[in-house]
Amino acid sequence: DETVGMNDLSDGIQFSVSPNPVNDQLYIHFKNLANKKYSYQIFDVSGRLIKNSNNDHQSNSNDLILPVNDLAQGIYQLMISVDGTRKIVRFVKE
C-alpha cells in the first residue's frame, strides 16, 4: 500500500491519502482540518463526476474515511475543498 504524500493547500492545510491503490475505504488524514468546512468530489479519468459530498461539512476531526467499494477498478481524481481552497489528488481503485 502506498500513501500519497502530504499535499499543501494554499492556505497551509496539509493532508495525506492512503492506501493507494485502494479497495474499500480511502483514508484522508489532515494535519489541521478540525473546525473547518470541507467537501469532496471524485472524478473518473474522463472528468465525469462519480461521487460528491452534497454540501459543506464541518469537521471535528482530522480524519475522513471515504467508502469507495462501489467504484469500478480504475484511476480517479479526488478533489478536496477546505474553506474554499481546492486540491486534487489521484488514486487507483483496485
Side-chain angles (χ1 to χ4, degrees), residues 42-50 72-78 90-93:
I42 297 175
F43 300 90
D44 65 12
V45 290
S46 68
R48 185 170 51 110
L49 178 64
I50 302 297
Q73 291 182 348
I75 298 170
Y76 294 89
Q77 293 186 53
L78 169 67
R90 187 177 296 199
F91 69 93
V92 176
K93 167 67 167 72

Side-chain angles (χ1 to χ4, degrees), residues 2-72:
E2 180 181 318
T3 298
V4 175
M6 284 291 182
N7 291 286
D8 266 323
L9 295 173
S10 62
D11 62 356
I13 295 169
Q14 295 181 335
F15 66 94
S16 60
V17 176
S18 66
N20 193 12
V22 62
N23 288 313
D24 297 323
Q25 293 182 325
L26 193 61
Y27 296 90
I28 305 167
H29 175 73
F30 290 84
K31 284 221 169 181
N32 53 352
L33 179 65
N35 300 316
K36 296 188 182 289
K37 288 187 177 181
Y38 74 91
S39 62
Y40 68 88
Q41 297 176 312
I42 297 175
F43 300 90
D44 65 12
V45 290
S46 68
R48 185 170 51 110
L49 178 64
I50 302 297
K51 224 181 221 201
N52 70 327
S53 58
N54 294 330
N55 53 14
D56 284 337
H57 302 283
Q58 186 81 23
S59 179
N60 296 323
S61 168
N62 283 325
D63 297 304
L64 301 177
I65 299 173
L66 302 181
V68 295
N69 54 330
D70 56 337
L71 297 180

